[in-house]
């Protein structure tokens, strides 16, 4: 989608209005440069997708640049696995970054800037413990207390900071703090920490550094050094903006980045905390970060979500400062809409019930024409084998059905899609009394497409020829959580897990040819939902199919009630 298409799809939200005004006023020379700066301590999730799409889309709309920058200032929790996963996810979403950078690329320059702050009397080394610093910070109604180290001389601070840099102090012995205002109503301006000692191996710089800049400091300086014009971030950083602006004001550069906050994505029936998602992985509640039930982009990719659906969803929910909760059904609607456009149709019977069509000759079979897509003739058709013994879904037969049951019943008729009208004549049971087979007859004059004696019946069901059925594994995925807000309330989010979030059907009866499906192939199994070939459990000739989404939203009523409850609070 080009810049004009994006703009027409999303309209002019308040961030785009700001950027438009800045370009018109030639702020920063009329340039637009954004960035997406994740910390590599986990996998990206659907909440990150909103930020990714916003930053890259705005850069595209204004013919600007967008950097992918890793905030690797906390090496204890970061890993190269997460870096590679994030790169893959951003690319999969359809975006190309102008440059791939790391906060660690600027460690030397950030250090030199800290030295300049010390020389200007705007930073000092504090020997106070973390507990003392926390206690002296004060509260929202009570100002903080200045540290006894705040009045150290510039010379002593330079000497101590250099000693920190050379590893002469143990972890926690001291920190470097900015000297701003301990009485500020904004807690973030009460002499925030700029550097702390961490004697740990950094996955990019190795053992070169034993002091690391804090997020706010490194983040702002990286924006300045890279030439960022618009620093887009979620609303929880709104209180950090005065500190961001204080750091920018200390820099003698022409580039003046502006921080703009927007509301984060809150999606029902899921969690957005990387820490809690990590708990799910570490405690074995899911297969891994890419489990198809996870809200991670890698999980959604494995489940079969098209990246275009996630981009569309991110644009449809809009950009505001208002905190809101989005229904999972809104995301699934976008997924269905995209999959419906391109997914070829196939037959699959998950819980087979055998039918014997007694007036169809034994050993005989025929190939019936079946459209690959009902609305796209250019996708062509396929030949579906039909024979005397077929499988239908167990749910498509009821021995004693209610009044408006339009599928198969004793003595009743139903149309087999693309085939004939059949009639149930007899039920065959096993020694336990369970139904094992239905004996039926068919009307040979009712073949679909013949136009001869096309009498009507109210029900049409899918089927698979028993002789030609391919027995393959199908995994039916559902919501991971039963609670609409699993991340809130008194109950642990783990207690809200849905014990039926996946059902494994080991030997579903699938249409002939599906055993040749490849990774990346998606299908609509008629009347059942959209499915894709799993990337982990599939083997050549033995694909495993994941249900991406059902054909209809079975959670709509539940979500509507939950949303009404949230709105009334």
């Amino acid at each position: 989608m080009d810049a004009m298409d994006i703009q027409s799809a999303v309209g002019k939200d308040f961030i785009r209005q700001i950027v438009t005004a800045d370009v018109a006023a030639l702020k920063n020379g009329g340039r637009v440069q954004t960035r997406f700066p994740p910390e590599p301590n986990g996998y990206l999730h659907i909440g990150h997708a909103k930020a990714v799409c916003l930053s890259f889309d705005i850069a595209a709309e204004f013919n600007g640049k967008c950097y992918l920058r890793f905030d690797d200032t906390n090496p204890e929790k970061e890993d190269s696995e997460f870096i590679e996963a994030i790169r893959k996810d951003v690319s999969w979403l359809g975006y190309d970054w102008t440059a791939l950078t790391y906060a660690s690329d600027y460690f030397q320059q950030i250090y030199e800037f800290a030295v300049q702050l010390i020389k200007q009397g705007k930073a000092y080394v504090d020997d106070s413990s973390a507990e003392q610093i926390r206690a002296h910070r004060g509260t929202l109604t009570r100002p903080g207390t200045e540290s006894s180290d705040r009045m150290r001389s510039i010379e002593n601070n330079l000497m101590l900071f250099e000693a920190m840099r050379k590893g002469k102090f143990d972890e926690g012995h001291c920190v470097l703090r900015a000297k701003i205002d301990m009485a500020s109503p904004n807690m973030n301006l009460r002499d925030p920490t700029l550097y702390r000692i961490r004697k740990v191996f950094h996955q990019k710089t190795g053992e070169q550094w034993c002091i690391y800049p804090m997020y706010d400091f490194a983040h702002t300086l990286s924006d300045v050094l890279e030439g960022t014009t618009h620093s887009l971030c979620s609303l929880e950083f709104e209180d950090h903006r005065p500190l961001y602006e204080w750091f920018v004001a200390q820099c003698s550069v022409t580039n003046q980045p502006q921080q703009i906050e927007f509301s984060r994505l809150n999606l029902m029936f899921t969690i957005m905390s990387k820490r809690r998602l990590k708990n799910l992985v570490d405690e074995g509640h899911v297969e891994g970060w890419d489990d198809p039930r996870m809200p991670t982009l890698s999980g959604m990719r494995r489940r079969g979500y098209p990246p275009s659906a996630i981009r569309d969803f991110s644009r449809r929910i809009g950009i505001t400062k208002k905190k809101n909760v989005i229904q999972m059904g809104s995301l699934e609607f976008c997924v269905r809409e995209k999959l419906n456009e391109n997914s070829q149709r196939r037959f699959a019977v998950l819980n087979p019930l055998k039918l014997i069509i007694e007036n169809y000759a034994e050993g005989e079979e025929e190939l019936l024409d079946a459209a690959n897509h009902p609305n796209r003739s250019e996708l062509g058709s396929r030949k579906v084998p039909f024979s005397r013994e077929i499988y239908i879904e167990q749910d498509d037969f009821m021995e004693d059905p209610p009044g408006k049951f339009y599928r198969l019943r004793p003595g009743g008729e139903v149309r087999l899609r693309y085939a004939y009208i059949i009639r149930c004549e007899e039920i065959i049971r096993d020694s336990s009394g369970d139904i094992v087979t239905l004996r039926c007859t068919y009307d040979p004059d009712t073949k679909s497409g013949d136009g001869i004696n096309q009498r009507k019946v109210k029900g049409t069901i899918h089927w698979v020829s028993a002789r030609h059925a391919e027995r393959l594994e199908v995994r039916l995925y559902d919501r991971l959580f039963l609670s609409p807000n699993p991340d809130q309330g008194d109950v642990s989010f783990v207690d809200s897990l849905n014990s039926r979030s996946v059902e494994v059907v080991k030997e579903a009866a699938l249409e002939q040819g599906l055993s040749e499906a490849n990774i990346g192939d998606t299908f609509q199994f008629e009347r059942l939902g959209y499915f894709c070939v799993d990337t982990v459990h599939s083997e050549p000739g033995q694909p495993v199919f994941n249900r991406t989404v059902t054909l209809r939203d079975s959670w709509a009523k539940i979500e509507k009630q939950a949303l009404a409850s949230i709105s009334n609070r």
Side-chain angles (χ1 to χ4, degrees):
M1 181 180 284
D2 62 28
M4 187 170 294
D5 290 334
I6 295 171
Q7 193 169 3
S8 63
V10 299
K12 277 284 184 73
D13 54 65
F14 79 97
I15 292 182
R16 286 174 168 84
Q17 292 173 17
I18 292 172
V19 177
T20 299
D22 288 345
V23 171
L26 296 180
K27 184 178 179 180
N28 292 311
R31 293 186 308 108
V32 173
Q33 183 172 317
T34 61
R35 80 291 171 272
F36 175 63
E39 182 182 358
N41 62 350
Y43 281 57
L44 297 186
H45 54 61
I46 185 64
H48 294 114
K50 178 179 178 179
V52 172
C53 293
L54 177 62
S55 293
F56 279 91
D57 283 353
I58 283 184
E61 289 171 48
F62 292 90
N63 297 313
K65 300 177 180 179
C66 185
Y67 282 37
L68 174 60
R69 182 177 74 231
F70 289 101
D71 172 37
D72 56 344
T73 59
N74 192 12
E76 293 165 299
K77 296 183 178 180
E78 297 159 4
D79 194 279
S80 57
E81 172 194 351
F82 301 133
I83 290 175
E84 291 307 311
I86 291 169
R87 291 178 62 175
K88 183 176 181 180
D89 286 343
V90 175
S91 292
W92 174 72
L93 277 178
Y95 295 110
D96 295 319
W97 45 85
T98 303
L100 176 66
T101 60
Y102 298 79
S104 58
D105 294 340
Y106 312 115
F107 276 179
Q108 183 62 39
Q109 291 156 287
I110 295 172
Y111 174 80
E112 291 170 359
F113 182 71
V115 171
Q116 287 301 312
L117 288 179
I118 295 174
K119 290 179 177 180
Q120 294 168 9
K122 296 177 179 178
Y124 62 98
V125 175
D126 192 346
D127 293 337
S128 303
S129 67
E131 292 76 14
Q132 289 172 322
I133 291 175
R134 193 178 303 112
H136 292 165
R137 184 163 291 166
T139 66
L140 292 174
T141 57
R142 176 173 54 83
T145 303
E146 292 184 357
S147 167
S148 59
D149 295 329
R150 200 174 196 266
M151 300 310 295
R152 270 194 173 124
S153 68
I154 290 175
E155 292 73 18
N156 278 342
N157 281 318
L158 288 172
M159 179 187 67
L160 290 169
F161 190 48
E162 178 64 16
M164 288 174 61
R165 167 73 177 89
K166 291 182 177 179
K168 294 184 177 181
F169 299 125
D170 293 334
E171 289 188 12
H173 178 81
C174 55
V175 296
L176 182 71
R177 299 176 68 181
K179 189 186 293 187
I180 306 180
D181 182 4
M182 288 302 292
S184 172
N186 188 317
M187 302 284 284
N188 295 296
L189 294 180
R190 295 183 184 178
D191 290 10
T193 300
L194 304 182
Y195 269 91
R196 80 283 198 201
I197 300 170
R198 286 290 185 273
K199 295 184 177 181
V200 295
F201 182 85
H202 189 283
Q203 48 103 12
K204 195 165 185 289
T205 62
E207 298 178 348
Q208 182 180 352
W209 295 89
C210 63
I211 57 171
Y212 292 97
M214 300 298 288
Y215 171 81
D216 284 324
F217 191 48
H219 173 75
T220 308
L221 268 292
S222 297
D223 279 353
V224 170
L225 292 167
E226 288 182 348
T228 299
T229 61
H230 298 85
S231 178
L232 310 179
C233 57
S234 51
L235 208 56
E236 64 260 37
F237 291 101
E238 185 174 31
D239 290 340
H240 294 246
R241 192 196 322 146
L243 180 58
Y244 184 94
E245 293 171 347
W246 188 87
F247 287 140
V248 171
Q250 312 312 310
C251 301
S252 55
V253 293
T254 56
N255 179 58
Q256 295 289 309
Q258 176 183 3
Q259 177 175 305
I260 310 173
E261 309 87 15
F262 58 92
S263 61
R264 65 186 300 176
L265 172 62
N266 294 305
L267 194 63
M268 296 174 70
F269 292 97
T270 191
I271 56 177
M272 298 293 184
S273 164
K274 280 195 286 187
R275 177 176 59 84
R276 292 190 169 181
L277 292 175
K278 186 175 185 299
N279 287 344
L280 292 178
V281 174
D282 293 345
E283 295 173 8
H285 299 292
V286 294
E287 289 185 6
W289 287 95
D290 67 344
D291 188 297
R293 296 164 293 176
M294 289 279 274
T296 56
L297 296 184
S298 57
M300 291 180 173
R301 178 169 60 248
R302 182 177 162 194
R303 186 159 174 168
Y305 280 28
S308 58
I310 296 177
R311 295 196 304 269
D312 185 34
F313 169 72
S314 298
R315 292 161 184 162
R316 288 189 185 195
I317 60 178
I319 303 297
T320 68
K321 280 186 174 289
K322 181 181 179 182
K323 294 181 180 180
N324 52 19
V325 179
I326 306 298
Q327 297 180 55
M328 178 69 82
S330 298
L331 172 59
E332 293 175 341
F333 174 83
C334 294
V335 172
R336 287 188 189 92
E337 194 172 59
K338 295 298 181 182
L339 289 175
N340 182 55
E341 294 174 2
N342 302 307
S343 298
Q344 294 198 18
R345 275 47 172 174
R346 294 293 186 270
F347 287 158
V349 176
L350 304 185
N351 298 295
L353 173 62
K354 181 179 282 190
L355 271 63
I356 299 176
I357 305 173
E358 298 205 319
N359 60 334
Y360 196 93
E362 282 193 56
E364 185 177 336
E365 63 182 58
E366 57 186 305
L367 296 176
L368 305 177
D369 284 325
N372 285 330
H373 195 290
N375 303 316
R376 296 186 58 185
S377 58
E378 71 273 16
L379 293 180
S381 62
R382 65 195 190 280
K383 297 293 186 180
V384 178
F386 182 80
S387 60
R388 187 172 189 261
E389 296 185 0
I390 64 172
Y391 293 124
I392 66 169
E393 292 286 354
Q394 291 183 16
D395 289 346
D396 281 337
F397 174 79
M398 287 188 71
E399 188 173 5
D400 186 19
K404 292 187 178 181
F405 183 80
Y406 297 128
R407 287 164 282 170
L408 196 58
R409 66 176 75 195
E413 292 185 324
V414 71
R415 173 171 287 282
L416 299 176
R417 184 152 168 79
Y418 297 119
Y420 302 93
I421 292 175
I422 61 169
R423 175 185 175 87
C424 178
E425 306 290 355
E426 184 184 0
I427 298 173
I428 307 299
R429 304 177 189 273
D430 61 15
S431 57
S432 301
D434 295 327
I435 300 173
V436 292
T437 307
L438 299 179
R439 294 193 178 276
C440 302
T441 55
Y442 86 113
D443 183 344
D445 294 329
T446 59
K447 185 176 181 180
S448 293
D450 276 358
I452 304 172
N453 191 23
Q454 288 297 314
R455 57 191 182 86
K456 305 292 184 182
V457 290
K458 289 186 176 181
T460 299
I461 62 175
H462 65 284
W463 52 276
V464 172
S465 169
R467 183 189 304 173
H468 305 89
E470 296 181 337
R471 292 293 192 152
L472 298 171
E473 183 175 312
V474 175
R475 298 189 166 207
L476 306 176
Y477 288 103
D478 203 347
R479 306 279 171 90
L480 184 57
F481 293 97
L482 293 173
S483 169
N485 296 295
D487 213 11
Q488 300 177 9
D490 299 330
V491 179
S492 166
F493 73 99
V494 171
D495 293 333
S496 298
L497 285 168
N498 179 8
S499 61
R500 301 179 64 183
S501 58
V502 59
E503 177 188 350
V504 179
V505 181
K506 283 294 185 181
E507 290 194 347
L510 272 58
E511 180 180 318
Q512 188 178 43
L514 283 171
S515 61
E516 300 173 8
N518 298 310
I519 300 295
D521 289 347
T522 61
F523 302 93
Q524 184 197 100
F525 290 171
E526 296 204 28
R527 301 176 66 228
L528 300 178
Y530 295 96
F531 292 76
C532 74
V533 179
D534 185 68
T535 57
V536 174
H537 298 291
S538 297
E539 296 180 0
Q542 285 291 317
V544 172
F545 288 91
N546 295 334
R547 183 172 66 189
T548 305
V549 67
T550 55
L551 290 181
R552 294 177 180 82
D553 185 358
S554 59
W555 288 75
K557 185 176 180 180
I558 299 172
E559 285 203 333
K560 186 177 180 180
Q561 293 172 343
L563 197 61
S565 175
I566 293 170
S567 301
N568 292 332
R569 288 176 185 171

